[in-house]
Coordinates of all heavy atoms in Angstrom, one line a residue:
M252 N -21.5 -8.7 39.7 CA -20.3 -8.3 39.2 C -20.4 -6.8 38.7 O -21.4 -6.5 38.1 CB -19.8 -9.2 38.1 CG -19.4 -10.5 38.5 SD -18.6 -11.3 37.1 CE -17.8 -12.6 38.0
K253 N -19.3 -6.1 38.8 CA -19.3 -4.7 38.4 C -18.8 -4.7 36.9 O -18.0 -5.5 36.5 CB -18.3 -3.9 39.2 CG -18.8 -3.7 40.6 CD -17.8 -2.9 41.4 CE -18.2 -2.7 42.8 NZ -17.3 -1.9 43.6
I254 N -19.3 -3.7 36.2 CA -18.9 -3.5 34.8 C -17.4 -3.3 34.7 O -16.7 -3.7 33.8 CB -19.7 -2.4 34.1 CG1 -21.1 -2.8 34.0 CG2 -19.1 -2.0 32.8 CD1 -22.0 -1.7 33.4
S255 N -16.9 -2.5 35.7 CA -15.4 -2.2 35.7 C -14.5 -3.4 35.7 O -13.4 -3.3 35.4 CB -15.1 -1.3 36.9 OG -15.4 -1.9 38.1
Q256 N -15.1 -4.6 36.2 CA -14.3 -5.8 36.1 C -14.1 -6.3 34.7 O -13.2 -7.0 34.4 CB -15.0 -6.9 36.9 CG -15.0 -6.6 38.4 CD -15.8 -7.6 39.2 OE1 -17.0 -7.9 38.8 NE2 -15.2 -8.2 40.2
F257 N -14.9 -5.8 33.8 CA -14.8 -6.3 32.4 C -14.2 -5.3 31.4 O -13.7 -5.7 30.4 CB -16.2 -6.7 31.9 CG -16.9 -7.7 32.7 CD1 -17.9 -7.4 33.6 CD2 -16.5 -9.1 32.6 CE1 -18.5 -8.4 34.4 CE2 -17.1 -10.0 33.4 CZ -18.1 -9.7 34.2
L258 N -14.4 -4.0 31.7 CA -13.9 -3.0 30.8 C -12.9 -2.1 31.4 O -12.9 -1.8 32.6 CB -15.1 -2.1 30.4 CG -16.2 -2.7 29.6 CD1 -17.4 -1.7 29.4 CD2 -15.7 -3.2 28.3
H259 N -11.9 -1.7 30.7 CA -10.9 -0.8 31.1 C -11.2 0.5 30.4 O -11.9 0.6 29.4 CB -9.5 -1.2 30.6 CG -9.0 -2.5 31.3 ND1 -9.2 -3.7 30.8 CD2 -8.5 -2.6 32.5 CE1 -8.7 -4.6 31.6 NE2 -8.3 -4.0 32.7
L260 N -10.8 1.6 31.0 CA -11.1 3.0 30.5 C -10.7 3.1 29.0 O -11.5 3.7 28.2 CB -10.4 4.0 31.3 CG -10.6 5.5 30.9 CD1 -12.1 5.8 30.9 CD2 -9.9 6.4 31.8
D261 N -9.6 2.6 28.6 CA -9.2 2.8 27.2 C -10.1 2.0 26.3 O -10.4 2.4 25.2 CB -7.7 2.4 27.0 CG -7.4 1.0 27.5 OD1 -8.1 0.4 28.3 OD2 -6.3 0.4 27.0
D262 N -10.7 0.9 26.7 CA -11.7 0.2 25.9 C -12.9 1.0 25.8 O -13.5 1.0 24.7 CB -12.0 -1.2 26.6 CG -10.9 -2.1 26.7 OD1 -10.0 -2.1 25.7 OD2 -10.8 -2.9 27.6
V263 N -13.4 1.7 26.8 CA -14.6 2.5 26.8 C -14.3 3.7 25.8 O -15.2 4.0 25.0 CB -15.0 3.0 28.2 CG1 -16.1 4.0 28.1 CG2 -15.3 1.8 29.0
L264 N -13.2 4.3 26.0 CA -12.9 5.5 25.1 C -12.9 5.1 23.6 O -13.2 5.9 22.8 CB -11.5 6.1 25.5 CG -11.5 6.8 26.9 CD1 -10.1 7.2 27.2 CD2 -12.4 8.0 26.9
E265 N -12.5 3.9 23.3 CA -12.4 3.5 21.9 C -13.8 3.3 21.3 O -14.0 3.3 20.1 CB -11.6 2.2 21.8 CG -10.2 2.4 22.0 CD -9.5 3.4 21.0 OE1 -9.9 3.4 19.9 OE2 -8.6 4.1 21.5
L266 N -14.8 3.1 22.2 CA -16.2 2.9 21.8 C -17.0 4.2 21.5 O -18.0 4.3 20.9 CB -17.0 2.1 22.8 CG -16.5 0.7 23.0 CD1 -17.2 0.0 24.1 CD2 -16.6 -0.2 21.7
I267 N -16.5 5.3 22.1 CA -17.1 6.6 21.9 C -17.0 7.1 20.5 O -15.9 7.1 19.9 CB -16.5 7.6 22.9 CG1 -16.8 7.2 24.4 CG2 -17.0 9.0 22.7 CD1 -16.1 8.0 25.4
L268 N -18.1 7.6 19.9 CA -18.1 8.1 18.6 C -17.5 9.5 18.4 O -17.1 9.8 17.3 CB -19.5 8.1 18.0 CG -20.2 6.7 18.0 CD1 -21.6 6.8 17.5 CD2 -19.4 5.7 17.1
D269 N -17.3 10.2 19.5 CA -16.7 11.5 19.4 C -15.2 11.3 19.5 O -14.7 10.4 20.2 CB -17.1 12.4 20.6 CG -18.5 12.9 20.4 OD1 -19.0 13.1 19.3 OD2 -19.2 13.1 21.4
A270 N -14.4 12.2 18.9 CA -13.0 12.2 19.0 C -12.6 12.6 20.5 O -13.0 13.6 21.0 CB -12.3 13.1 18.1
V271 N -11.8 11.7 21.1 CA -11.3 12.0 22.4 C -9.8 12.1 22.4 O -9.1 11.3 21.8 CB -11.7 10.8 23.4 CG1 -11.1 11.1 24.8 CG2 -13.2 10.7 23.5
C272 N -9.3 13.2 23.0 CA -7.9 13.5 23.1 C -7.5 13.7 24.5 O -8.2 14.4 25.2 CB -7.5 14.8 22.3 SG -8.1 14.9 20.7
V273 N -6.4 13.2 24.9 CA -5.8 13.5 26.2 C -4.5 14.2 26.0 O -3.7 13.8 25.2 CB -5.6 12.2 27.0 CG1 -4.9 12.5 28.4 CG2 -6.9 11.4 27.2
V274 N -4.4 15.4 26.7 CA -3.3 16.3 26.5 C -2.6 16.5 27.8 O -3.3 16.7 28.8 CB -3.8 17.6 25.9 CG1 -2.6 18.6 25.7 CG2 -4.6 17.4 24.6
D275 N -1.3 16.5 27.8 CA -0.6 16.7 29.1 C -0.4 18.2 29.4 O -0.9 19.0 28.6 CB 0.8 15.9 29.1 CG 1.8 16.5 28.1 OD1 1.6 17.6 27.6 OD2 2.8 15.7 27.8
K276 N 0.2 18.5 30.5 CA 0.3 19.9 30.9 C 1.2 20.7 29.9 O 1.2 22.0 30.0 CB 0.8 20.1 32.3 CG -0.3 19.7 33.3 CD 0.2 19.9 34.7 CE -1.0 19.6 35.7 NZ -0.6 19.9 37.1
E277 N 2.0 20.1 29.1 CA 2.9 20.8 28.1 C 2.2 20.9 26.8 O 2.8 21.2 25.8 CB 4.2 20.0 28.0 CG 5.1 20.2 29.1 CD 4.8 19.3 30.3 OE1 4.3 18.2 30.1 OE2 4.9 19.8 31.5
N278 N 0.8 20.6 26.8 CA 0.0 20.6 25.6 C 0.3 19.6 24.5 O 0.0 19.7 23.4 CB 0.1 22.0 24.9 CG -0.4 23.1 25.9 OD1 -1.5 22.9 26.5 ND2 0.3 24.2 26.0
N279 N 1.0 18.5 24.9 CA 1.3 17.4 24.0 C 0.2 16.3 24.1 O -0.2 16.0 25.2 CB 2.7 16.8 24.3 CG 3.8 17.8 24.1 OD1 3.8 18.5 23.1 ND2 4.7 17.8 25.1
L280 N -0.2 15.8 22.9 CA -1.1 14.7 22.9 C -0.5 13.5 23.4 O 0.6 13.1 23.0 CB -1.6 14.5 21.5 CG -2.5 15.6 20.9 CD1 -2.4 15.6 19.4 CD2 -3.9 15.5 21.4
V281 N -1.2 12.8 24.4 CA -0.7 11.5 24.9 C -1.7 10.4 24.6 O -1.3 9.2 24.7 CB -0.5 11.6 26.4 CG1 0.6 12.6 26.7 CG2 -1.8 12.0 27.2
F282 N -2.9 10.7 24.1 CA -3.8 9.7 23.7 C -4.8 10.3 22.7 O -5.2 11.4 22.9 CB -4.6 9.1 24.9 CG -5.7 8.2 24.5 CD1 -5.5 6.9 24.3 CD2 -7.0 8.7 24.4 CE1 -6.6 6.0 23.9 CE2 -8.1 7.9 24.0 CZ -7.8 6.5 23.8
V283 N -5.2 9.5 21.7 CA -6.3 9.9 20.8 C -7.1 8.6 20.6 O -6.6 7.5 20.5 CB -5.9 10.5 19.5 CG1 -5.2 11.8 19.7 CG2 -5.0 9.6 18.7
S284 N -8.4 8.8 20.6 CA -9.3 7.6 20.4 C -9.4 7.2 18.9 O -8.9 8.0 18.0 CB -10.7 8.0 20.9 OG -11.3 9.0 20.1
A285 N -10.0 6.1 18.7 CA -10.2 5.6 17.3 C -11.0 6.6 16.5 O -10.8 6.8 15.3 CB -10.9 4.2 17.3
A286 N -12.0 7.3 17.1 CA -12.8 8.3 16.4 C -12.0 9.5 16.0 O -12.3 10.1 14.9 CB -13.9 8.7 17.3
F287 N -10.9 9.8 16.7 CA -10.0 10.9 16.3 C -9.4 10.6 14.9 O -9.4 11.4 14.0 CB -8.9 11.1 17.3 CG -8.0 12.2 17.0 CD1 -8.2 13.5 17.5 CD2 -6.9 12.0 16.2 CE1 -7.4 14.5 17.3 CE2 -6.0 13.1 15.9 CZ -6.2 14.3 16.4
E288 N -8.9 9.3 14.8 CA -8.3 8.9 13.5 C -9.4 9.0 12.4 O -9.1 9.5 11.3 CB -7.8 7.5 13.6 CG -7.2 7.0 12.3 CD -6.7 5.6 12.4 OE1 -6.5 5.0 13.5 OE2 -6.4 5.0 11.3
H289 N -10.6 8.5 12.7 CA -11.7 8.5 11.7 C -12.1 9.9 11.3 O -12.3 10.1 10.1 CB -12.9 7.7 12.3 CG -14.0 7.6 11.3 ND1 -14.0 6.9 10.2 CD2 -15.2 8.3 11.4 CE1 -15.2 7.0 9.6 NE2 -15.9 7.9 10.3
M290 N -12.2 10.8 12.2 CA -12.6 12.1 12.0 C -11.6 13.0 11.3 O -11.9 13.8 10.4 CB -13.1 12.8 13.3 CG -14.3 12.2 13.8 SD -14.8 13.0 15.4 CE -15.5 14.5 14.9
F291 N -10.3 12.9 11.7 CA -9.3 13.8 11.3 C -8.2 13.2 10.3 O -7.5 13.9 9.7 CB -8.5 14.4 12.4 CG -9.5 15.2 13.3 CD1 -9.8 14.8 14.6 CD2 -10.1 16.3 12.9 CE1 -10.6 15.4 15.4 CE2 -11.0 17.0 13.7 CZ -11.3 16.6 15.0
G292 N -8.2 11.9 10.2 CA -7.3 11.2 9.3 C -5.9 10.9 9.8 O -5.1 10.4 9.0
Y293 N -5.6 11.3 11.0 CA -4.2 11.0 11.5 C -4.2 9.7 12.3 O -5.0 9.5 13.2 CB -3.8 12.2 12.5 CG -3.7 13.5 11.9 CD1 -4.8 14.5 12.1 CD2 -2.6 13.9 11.1 CE1 -4.7 15.7 11.5 CE2 -2.5 15.2 10.6 CZ -3.6 16.1 10.8 OH -3.5 17.3 10.2
L294 N -3.2 8.9 12.1 CA -2.9 7.8 12.9 C -2.4 8.2 14.3 O -1.8 9.3 14.4 CB -1.9 6.9 12.3 CG -2.2 6.3 10.9 CD1 -1.0 5.6 10.3 CD2 -3.4 5.3 11.1
P295 N -2.7 7.5 15.3 CA -2.2 7.9 16.6 C -0.7 8.1 16.7 O -0.2 9.1 17.3 CB -2.5 6.7 17.5 CG -3.7 6.0 16.9 CD -3.5 6.2 15.4
E296 N 0.1 7.3 16.0 CA 1.6 7.5 16.0 C 2.0 8.8 15.3 O 3.1 9.3 15.4 CB 2.3 6.3 15.4 CG 1.9 5.9 14.1 CD 0.8 4.8 14.1 OE1 0.1 4.6 15.1 OE2 0.7 4.2 13.0
E297 N 1.1 9.4 14.5 CA 1.4 10.7 13.8 C 1.2 11.9 14.7 O 1.7 13.0 14.5 CB 0.5 10.9 12.6 CG 0.8 9.9 11.5 CD -0.1 10.1 10.3 OE1 -1.3 9.7 10.4 OE2 0.3 10.7 9.3
V298 N 0.4 11.7 15.8 CA 0.0 12.8 16.7 C 0.5 12.7 18.1 O 0.8 13.7 18.7 CB -1.5 13.1 16.7 CG1 -2.0 13.4 15.3 CG2 -2.3 11.9 17.2
I299 N 0.7 11.5 18.6 CA 1.1 11.3 20.0 C 2.5 12.0 20.2 O 3.4 11.7 19.4 CB 1.2 9.8 20.4 CG1 -0.2 9.2 20.2 CG2 1.7 9.6 21.8 CD1 -1.3 9.8 21.1
G300 N 2.6 12.8 21.2 CA 3.9 13.5 21.5 C 4.0 14.8 20.9 O 4.9 15.6 21.2
R301 N 3.1 15.1 19.9 CA 3.1 16.5 19.3 C 2.2 17.4 20.0 O 1.2 17.0 20.7 CB 2.7 16.4 17.8 CG 3.7 15.6 17.0 CD 3.4 15.6 15.6 NE 3.2 16.9 14.9 CZ 2.7 17.0 13.7 NH1 2.4 16.0 13.0 NH2 2.5 18.2 13.2
S302 N 2.4 18.7 19.9 CA 1.5 19.7 20.5 C 0.1 19.7 19.9 O 0.0 19.6 18.7 CB 2.1 21.1 20.3 OG 1.2 22.1 20.7
V303 N -0.9 19.8 20.7 CA -2.2 19.8 20.3 C -2.4 21.0 19.4 O -3.2 21.0 18.4 CB -3.2 19.8 21.5 CG1 -3.1 21.1 22.3 CG2 -4.6 19.6 21.0
F304 N -1.7 22.1 19.6 CA -1.8 23.3 18.8 C -1.3 23.1 17.4 O -1.7 23.9 16.5 CB -1.1 24.5 19.5 CG -1.7 24.9 20.8 CD1 -1.2 24.5 22.0 CD2 -2.9 25.6 20.8 CE1 -1.8 24.8 23.2 CE2 -3.6 25.9 21.9 CZ -3.0 25.6 23.1
D305 N -0.6 22.0 17.1 CA -0.2 21.7 15.7 C -1.4 21.4 14.9 O -1.4 21.4 13.6 CB 0.8 20.6 15.6 CG 2.2 20.9 16.2 OD1 2.5 22.1 16.4 OD2 2.9 20.0 16.5
F306 N -2.5 21.0 15.5 CA -3.7 20.5 14.8 C -4.9 21.4 15.0 O -6.0 21.0 14.6 CB -4.0 19.1 15.4 CG -2.8 18.1 15.2 CD1 -2.0 17.9 16.3 CD2 -2.6 17.5 14.0 CE1 -0.9 17.1 16.1 CE2 -1.5 16.7 13.8 CZ -0.6 16.5 14.9
I307 N -4.7 22.6 15.5 CA -5.8 23.5 15.7 C -5.6 24.7 14.8 O -4.4 25.1 14.6 CB -5.9 24.0 17.2 CG1 -6.2 22.8 18.1 CG2 -6.9 25.1 17.4 CD1 -6.2 23.1 19.6
Y308 N -6.7 25.2 14.2 CA -6.5 26.3 13.3 C -5.8 27.5 14.0 O -6.0 27.7 15.2 CB -7.9 26.9 13.0 CG -8.6 26.3 11.8 CD1 -9.0 24.9 11.8 CD2 -8.9 27.0 10.6 CE1 -9.6 24.3 10.7 CE2 -9.5 26.4 9.5 CZ -9.9 25.1 9.6 OH -10.5 24.6 8.5
V309 N -4.9 28.1 13.3 CA -4.1 29.2 13.8 C -5.0 30.3 14.5 O -4.7 30.8 15.6 CB -3.2 29.8 12.7 CG1 -2.5 31.1 13.2 CG2 -2.2 28.8 12.2
E310 N -6.1 30.6 13.8 CA -7.0 31.6 14.3 C -7.7 31.2 15.7 O -8.2 32.1 16.4 CB -8.1 31.9 13.3 CG -7.6 32.4 12.0 CD -7.2 31.3 11.0 OE1 -7.3 30.1 11.3 OE2 -6.8 31.7 9.9
D311 N -7.7 29.9 16.0 CA -8.3 29.4 17.2 C -7.4 29.2 18.3 O -7.8 28.8 19.5 CB -9.1 28.2 16.9 CG -10.3 28.4 16.0 OD1 -10.6 29.6 15.7 OD2 -11.0 27.4 15.6
R312 N -6.1 29.3 18.1 CA -5.1 28.9 19.1 C -5.1 29.7 20.3 O -5.0 29.2 21.4 CB -3.7 28.9 18.5 CG -3.5 27.7 17.5 CD -2.2 27.7 16.8 NE -2.1 26.6 15.8 CZ -1.1 26.5 15.0 NH1 -0.1 27.3 15.0 NH2 -1.2 25.5 14.1
Q313 N -5.2 31.0 20.2 CA -5.2 31.9 21.4 C -6.4 31.6 22.3 O -6.3 31.5 23.5 CB -5.2 33.4 21.0 CG -5.2 34.3 22.2 CD -4.0 34.0 23.1 OE1 -2.9 33.9 22.7 NE2 -4.3 33.9 24.4
K314 N -7.6 31.5 21.6 CA -8.8 31.2 22.4 C -8.7 29.8 23.1 O -9.1 29.7 24.3 CB -10.0 31.1 21.4 CG -11.3 30.7 22.1 CD -12.5 30.8 21.1 CE -12.3 29.6 20.1 NZ -13.5 29.4 19.2
T315 N -8.1 28.9 22.4 CA -7.9 27.5 23.0 C -6.9 27.6 24.2 O -7.2 27.0 25.2 CB -7.4 26.5 21.9 OG1 -8.4 26.5 20.9 CG2 -7.2 25.2 22.5
S316 N -5.9 28.3 24.0 CA -4.9 28.5 25.0 C -5.5 29.1 26.3 O -5.2 28.7 27.4 CB -3.7 29.3 24.5 OG -2.7 29.4 25.5
S317 N -6.3 30.2 26.1 CA -6.9 30.8 27.2 C -7.9 29.9 27.9 O -7.9 29.9 29.2 CB -7.7 32.1 26.7 OG -6.8 33.0 26.2
T318 N -8.6 29.1 27.2 CA -9.5 28.1 27.8 C -8.7 27.1 28.6 O -9.1 26.7 29.7 CB -10.4 27.5 26.7 OG1 -11.1 28.5 26.1 CG2 -11.3 26.4 27.3
V319 N -7.6 26.6 28.1 CA -6.8 25.6 28.8 C -6.3 26.2 30.1 O -6.3 25.6 31.1 CB -5.6 25.1 27.9 CG1 -4.6 24.3 28.7 CG2 -6.2 24.3 26.7
D320 N -5.8 27.4 30.0 CA -5.3 28.1 31.2 C -6.4 28.2 32.3 O -6.1 27.9 33.5 CB -4.8 29.5 30.9 CG -3.5 29.5 30.1 OD1 -2.8 28.4 30.0 OD2 -3.2 30.6 29.5
S321 N -7.6 28.5 31.9 CA -8.7 28.6 32.9 C -9.1 27.3 33.5 O -9.3 27.2 34.7 CB -9.9 29.3 32.3 OG -10.5 28.6 31.3
I322 N -9.0 26.2 32.7 CA -9.3 24.9 33.2 C -8.2 24.5 34.2 O -8.5 23.9 35.2 CB -9.4 23.9 32.0 CG1 -10.6 24.1 31.2 CG2 -9.3 22.4 32.5 CD1 -10.7 23.4 29.9
L323 N -6.9 24.8 33.9 CA -5.9 24.4 34.8 C -5.9 25.2 36.1 O -5.4 24.8 37.1 CB -4.5 24.7 34.1 CG -4.2 23.7 33.0 CD1 -2.9 24.1 32.3 CD2 -4.1 22.3 33.5
L324 N -6.6 26.3 36.1 CA -6.9 27.1 37.3 C -8.1 26.6 38.1 O -8.5 27.2 39.1 CB -7.0 28.6 37.0 CG -5.8 29.3 36.5 CD1 -6.1 30.7 36.0 CD2 -4.7 29.3 37.6
G325 N -8.7 25.5 37.5 CA -9.9 24.9 38.2 C -11.2 25.5 37.8 O -12.2 25.1 38.4
Q326 N -11.3 26.3 36.8 CA -12.5 26.9 36.3 C -13.2 25.9 35.4 O -12.6 25.4 34.4 CB -12.3 28.2 35.6 CG -11.7 29.2 36.5 CD -11.2 30.5 35.8 OE1 -11.4 30.6 34.6 NE2 -10.6 31.4 36.5
T327 N -14.4 25.6 35.6 CA -15.2 24.6 34.8 C -15.5 25.2 33.4 O -15.9 26.4 33.3 CB -16.5 24.2 35.5 OG1 -16.1 23.7 36.8 CG2 -17.3 23.2 34.7
Q328 N -15.4 24.4 32.4 CA -15.8 24.8 31.0 C -16.8 23.8 30.6 O -16.5 22.7 30.3 CB -14.6 24.8 30.1 CG -13.5 25.8 30.4 CD -14.0 27.2 30.1 OE1 -14.7 27.5 29.1 NE2 -13.6 28.2 30.9
T329 N -18.1 24.2 30.5 CA -19.1 23.3 30.1 C -19.3 23.2 28.6 O -19.8 22.3 28.1 CB -20.5 23.7 30.7 OG1 -20.8 25.0 30.3 CG2 -20.4 23.6 32.3
S330 N -18.8 24.2 27.9 CA -18.9 24.2 26.4 C -17.8 25.0 25.8 O -17.4 26.1 26.3 CB -20.3 24.9 26.0 OG -20.4 24.9 24.6
F331 N -17.2 24.4 24.9 CA -16.0 25.0 24.2 C -15.9 24.4 22.8 O -16.0 23.2 22.6 CB -14.7 24.8 25.0 CG -13.5 25.4 24.3 CD1 -13.3 26.8 24.2 CD2 -12.6 24.5 23.7 CE1 -12.2 27.3 23.5 CE2 -11.5 25.1 23.0 CZ -11.3 26.4 22.9
E332 N -15.6 25.3 21.8 CA -15.4 24.8 20.5 C -14.2 25.4 19.9 O -13.8 26.6 20.2 CB -16.6 25.3 19.6 CG -17.9 24.6 19.9 CD -19.0 25.0 19.0 OE1 -18.7 25.4 17.8 OE2 -20.2 24.8 19.4
N333 N -13.5 24.6 19.1 CA -12.4 25.1 18.3 C -12.3 24.3 17.0 O -13.0 23.2 16.9 CB -11.1 25.2 19.0 CG -10.6 23.8 19.5 OD1 -11.2 22.8 19.2 ND2 -9.6 23.8 20.3
R334 N -11.6 24.7 16.0 CA -11.5 24.0 14.8 C -10.2 23.3 14.7 O -9.2 23.8 15.1 CB -11.7 25.0 13.6 CG -13.1 25.7 13.6 CD -13.2 26.8 12.6 NE -12.3 27.9 13.0 CZ -12.0 28.9 12.3 NH1 -12.5 29.0 11.1 NH2 -11.2 29.9 12.7
W335 N -10.3 22.1 14.1 CA -9.1 21.2 14.0 C -8.8 21.0 12.5 O -9.7 21.0 11.7 CB -9.4 19.8 14.6 CG -9.5 19.9 16.1 CD1 -10.5 20.5 16.9 CD2 -8.6 19.3 17.0 NE1 -10.2 20.3 18.2 CE2 -9.1 19.6 18.3 CE3 -7.4 18.6 16.9 CZ2 -8.4 19.2 19.4 CZ3 -6.7 18.2 18.0 CH2 -7.2 18.5 19.3
L336 N -7.5 20.8 12.3 CA -7.0 20.6 10.9 C -7.1 19.1 10.6 O -6.7 18.3 11.4 CB -5.5 21.0 10.8 CG -5.2 22.5 11.1 CD1 -3.7 22.7 11.2 CD2 -5.9 23.4 10.1
H337 N -7.6 18.9 9.4 CA -7.8 17.5 8.9 C -6.5 17.2 8.1 O -5.9 18.0 7.5 CB -9.0 17.3 8.1 CG -10.3 17.4 8.8 ND1 -11.1 16.4 9.0 CD2 -10.8 18.5 9.5 CE1 -12.1 16.8 9.8 NE2 -12.0 18.1 10.1
K338 N -6.2 15.9 8.0 CA -5.0 15.5 7.3 C -5.3 15.6 5.8 O -6.4 15.4 5.3 CB -4.7 14.0 7.6 CG -3.4 13.5 7.0 CD -3.1 12.2 7.5 CE -1.8 11.7 6.9 NZ -1.5 10.4 7.4

């Protein structure tokens, strides 16, 4: 039997200790993992549907936006850091 028969992707994401966020093309959060809540203090319903930039330091927003643009153009980003606001 394959592991995929037992686990769904959302179940796996909930087990990861790092905060995982899924953002749509309009920069809105559509998913955050349990670790996101633990690390930043926001419940999923407080952030889902809001812009990811609402939770990133103002000083880091331009760098983050430029990185997102390059990713959408197909350029690989192997390492990227930005700072997030805690509740």
